Amino acid sequence: MKILAITNQKGGVGKTTTCVNLAASLSAAKRRVLLVDLDPQGNATTGSGVDKSALAYTIYHVLLGEKKLAEVKVRSGAGEFDIIPANRELAGAEVELVNELARETRLKTAMAGLADEYDYVLIDCPPALNLVTVNALTAAHAVMIPMQCEYFALEGLSDLVNTIKKVRAYLNPTLEIEGLLRTLFDPRNMLAQQVSAQLESHFGKKVYSTVIPRNIRLAEAPSYGLPVMFHDRPSKGAQAYLALAREMIKREKANG
Ligand code: ATP
Ligand code: MG
């Protein structure tokens, strides 16, 4: 089982889009996938075809120690994967956990019960370096960082890398950077090309060779509660996430 935190404190860089579509693409490749929604916006929940307003229990109850993951888990609408849903209630967890014991390790502890039920666990993080995100970084084996190739992207990346270093020092010594994923990419944009080249020179093989293009089908699919491969399979967006899943599986095999 590999637990990946999909994280970037910058908003709107494609974290949730990556989680939902990678979950579907890995499932299509016969991998058993659990998607954990750790964002009070609940976009990964909705985008997976789950009605977030109709949920009795969510990740919030897991973090507060009231429910086990298995009691909260639901099946995604179309994709063949499981999801631990979230909704607005999660926004309260940040404050409610402040005086609780082991507040950074709540998710890790909850996941210990999963044993080897899944091949991949993908955690969709909120756009903040807060306690909920620290829970994800503490529970994860590695982080996947979706990023848009813009001028301030590299600056934001150094904040995230510093947080990862702190988490390594105090909470999760073996946390790794799994990979950097270029998202919302427009090859005609010169700046995007420059930033992309900088990323490759700084981070080398950590940068996935698969690039996710800006593609309208990816933006439409969540309104149908569908991963894009069930909305428009031949689209560039769907094909890009299928290629990313293949790249991950190839790496997985190469690393034994
Ligand atoms: P937040 O930080 O708010 O959680 P996020 O990092 O999870 O945001 P998404 O919600 O995945 O980002 O994407 C932000 C917006 O951009 C959404 O409307 C989404 O549909 C759209 N989007 C994401 N990736 C693409 C893409 N490759 N092409 C076109 N639209 C995209
Ligand atoms: Mg999101």
Side-chain angles (χ1 to χ4, degrees):
M1 182 168 77
K2 180 141 207 174
I3 304 174
L4 292 175
I6 317 295
T7 193
N8 188 334
Q9 75 279 13
K10 192 163 178 346
V13 296
K15 294 180 287 295
T16 302
T17 302
T18 297
C19 279
V20 170
N21 292 295
L22 190 55
S25 299
L26 286 168
S27 306
K30 301 276 176 269
R31 296 302 187 279
R32 300 162 303 166
V33 181
L34 177 68
L35 171 51
V36 179
D37 192 349
L38 261 196
D39 187 342
Q41 297 179 95
N43 293 338
T45 301
T46 312
S48 303
V50 175
D51 179 0
K52 66 185 174 198
S53 61
L55 298 161
Y57 300 111
T58 65
I59 188 68
Y60 167 82
H61 301 92
V62 174
L63 294 176
L64 286 170
E66 292 168 15
K67 291 281 163 196
K68 296 200 167 93
L69 284 177
E71 297 173 291
V72 169
K73 168 177 98 181
V74 289
R75 193 76 172 161
S76 80
E80 297 287 307
F81 57 90
D82 288 337
I83 171 155
I84 304 297
N87 59 26
R88 298 168 76 168
E89 241 182 326
L90 178 59
E94 199 71 23
V95 174
E96 287 167 54
L97 283 173
V98 161
N99 293 314
E100 295 286 330
L101 281 175
R103 57 178 190 246
E104 294 95 352
T105 53
R106 294 295 173 110
L107 185 62
K108 183 186 171 79
T109 304
M111 284 197 176
L114 286 179
D116 274 336
E117 267 178 70
Y118 297 100
D119 299 307
Y120 285 98
V121 179
L122 306 178
I123 309 175
D124 188 21
C125 294
L129 293 173
N130 58 15
L131 178 56
V132 166
T133 296
V134 168
N135 261 270
L137 296 178
T138 305
H141 298 122
V143 294
M144 182 192 288
I145 307 170
M147 53 187 304
Q148 227 176 312
C149 292
E150 292 175 336
Y151 185 62
F152 289 114
L154 294 166
E155 206 166 289
L157 200 54
S158 68
D159 292 339
L160 178 55
V161 169
N162 282 333
T163 302
I164 291 171
K165 281 185 186 153
K166 280 186 205 159
V167 171
R168 257 188 217 136
Y170 297 108
L171 294 159
N172 184 3
T174 57
L175 182 65
E176 288 181 60
I177 294 181
E178 177 76 12
L180 285 98
L181 176 66
R182 290 163 285 183
T183 57
L184 287 148
F185 195 77
D186 175 3
R188 288 163 306 183
N189 178 330
M190 283 303 289
L191 178 62
Q193 284 190 23
Q194 282 167 14
V195 174
S196 172
Q198 276 176 346
L199 264 189
E200 283 175 339
S201 69
H202 281 290
F203 290 91
K205 284 189 175 151
K206 291 278 178 200
V207 183
Y208 290 105
S209 53
T210 307
V211 175
I212 310 297
R214 187 178 282 279
N215 175 250
I216 187 71
R217 296 290 183 238
L218 281 167
E220 287 167 4
S223 65
Y224 301 96
L226 290 173
V228 70
M229 58 182 285
F230 300 108
H231 172 56
D232 184 351
R233 195 180 171 104
S235 66
K236 288 210 164 74
Q239 292 302 315
Y241 278 107
L242 286 163
L244 178 64
R246 283 195 297 272
E247 184 176 355
M248 286 171 69
I249 288 167
K250 208 166 140 193
R251 274 199 194 180
E252 170 196 303
K253 286 184 177 149
N255 299 332

